[in-house]
Each structure stands twice: as C-alpha cells, then as structure tokens.
Amino acid sequence: KGTAVAPDGNFVLLAGDRLQAEARSHPPVLLIHGDADPVVPFEALRVAQAGLASAGLLPYIQRTGTGPTDLMSTIAEINDNFELLDEWDDRYRYVIELGRTLAPLSEAEHSDANKVQGCTSQVWLTNHVERNAANEPVLTFRGDSDAHIVRGLIAILLALYSGHTAKEILDIDAMAVFERLGFREHLTPQRSNGLRSMVERVRAHAGQALATA
C-alpha cells in the first residue's frame, strides 16, 4: 500500500481504499521530492498528497535541492501544509520538522554578535548581502536556536525573508503572516516577543543594507 510512479511520471495511489480502512492511526506523513528529478515533476507530488489525504492521513510536502539552503520550504508550501493539518499537535510537529531542515551554523557563527536579544531561548541569525543584476542588495539569512519550536519559527522566517532584496524584506509584514497561520493564539507571550525580536533583527539588517546601497 502506498504510491507508485507511472510511466508518464505521475503518482498513483495504490490500494487507497484499503489504506483508509486498515490504517490504525493517522500520523503526519512527510513527502520529500528533489526539484532536480528528471522523471517525476514536483507538481505530481500534489496528486500523492491528495490521495493520502483522502485516505485519512496527514501528508505534507518538503521540496529538496542541492544547495545548502535548498531544504527550506517556500512560504506557499508552509501555508498549504498548515491548511492540511487541522490539529495544532500536528502543526507543532510539522514546525519542528521545518526546524530540522535548517543549515547548521558553525561554532564561530554561534557568537554574541549574531545572538538575537529579547528571546527566551537562545537564537542566532547570520546574514549575507550580495548585489543582484539591478545592483540591489539581496540578503540571505541562516539561523539556529537551542529550542526545537523556535528553530521551526526561524525556518518560517527564512522562507519569508531569505533571498529577497532589502526593499522587499521591509515590505513584508511577517507578524501578519504568522497571525494568518494561527500562531497568535498558539504561542506564549514570551515566544511571541522572541519572534518579534527576530523580525526586528532581520528588518534592521535590511535597513542597514539599504543605507549602504
């Protein structure tokens, strides 16, 4: 029972009716797919996701690539997966899984200079600035924390911000995105304050990049 790849590259759910009838539990299921796969298009993963969901399971999607940040989900994928996972216990588990996709920071990068103040847990954020073809500053972020949930929140922030121009970053209302995802009612005040501190740090880096442009 599961999925198979047809000759045309599409996913086919095998014995979906039996899977629904025989499943004794309905845990979240992580579907991972490489974006450089020459046989199966990434979009076909949606077919498998829909089939598993119809069988009563909770499948969510993770795109992978070959670069150091290519395990990161896009904010659209995160939003889709949140809509699929109705229970917050499942959403918390998904957020923790997102945190596990963060590229590791070196010991030197776990420095006081990179530490975000105002967070209950320890949080570090690094940034790198490059210029695009229009000579605009583009910021790439990496991060880490000693708390699993916070690592997941960092992963969502990086999906929002990393790889964007400084101007685009300043135009993004991250707190509104987190509110739409439902975090306002499901984070402690301390976690919410820490999240705001991370957002402020990212925006500060973007402001500095624009000021030196």
Side-chain angles (χ1 to χ4, degrees):
K1 296 184 280 289
T3 58
V5 180
D8 60 359
N10 287 318
F11 281 101
V12 178
L13 185 68
L14 303 178
D17 53 343
R18 289 181 56 193
L19 179 61
Q20 183 175 17
E22 297 178 11
R24 297 182 180 179
S25 62
H26 299 82
V29 177
L30 176 61
L31 301 174
I32 300 178
H33 187 272
D35 59 10
D37 189 334
V39 177
V40 182
F42 178 81
E43 292 72 19
L45 211 62
R46 299 292 181 189
V47 177
Q49 184 182 39
L52 290 169
S54 68
L57 300 179
L58 299 170
Y60 53 90
I61 289 176
Q62 175 69 58
R63 183 194 302 263
T64 66
T66 57
T69 62
D70 284 343
L71 283 173
M72 291 178 6
S73 293
T74 67
I75 193 63
E77 290 167 359
I78 292 170
N79 185 70
D80 288 346
N81 289 328
F82 257 70
E83 289 182 357
L84 182 69
L85 301 171
D86 294 328
E87 300 295 329
W88 266 92
D89 283 348
D90 295 328
R91 291 182 175 186
Y92 284 133
R93 281 193 286 268
Y94 172 54
V95 171
I96 290 172
E97 289 299 325
L98 287 175
R100 290 173 177 152
T101 69
L102 292 176
L105 298 185
S106 67
E107 184 176 348
E109 289 172 318
H110 287 92
S111 64
D112 288 341
N114 291 331
K115 198 168 186 178
V116 179
Q117 303 301 320
C119 299
T120 304
S121 306
Q122 295 191 91
V123 175
W124 298 268
L125 285 176
T126 72
N127 77 296
H128 177 71
V129 182
E130 292 184 344
R131 298 280 172 173
N132 62 13
N135 201 35
E136 299 171 306
V138 177
L139 286 77
T140 302
F141 295 95
R142 294 165 61 235
D144 192 18
S145 174
D146 59 354
H148 294 305
I149 286 289
V150 177
R151 283 175 58 85
L153 298 178
I154 293 171
I156 298 174
L157 276 179
L158 267 54
L160 271 173
Y161 286 130
S162 194
H164 287 280
T165 67
K167 184 179 184 307
E168 289 171 338
I169 288 171
L170 293 175
D171 287 340
I172 294 171
D173 188 346
M175 297 310 297
V177 173
F178 277 89
E179 184 170 347
R180 285 197 298 272
L181 290 172
F183 281 102
R184 184 174 185 176
E185 296 82 17
H186 292 89
L187 287 181
T188 64
Q190 292 84 357
R191 288 271 191 255
S192 295
N193 290 336
L195 177 60
R196 289 188 183 91
S197 296
M198 289 188 278
V199 171
E200 289 169 3
R201 170 65 73 92
V202 169
R203 292 177 59 84
H205 283 309
Q208 292 169 4
L210 273 181
T212 57

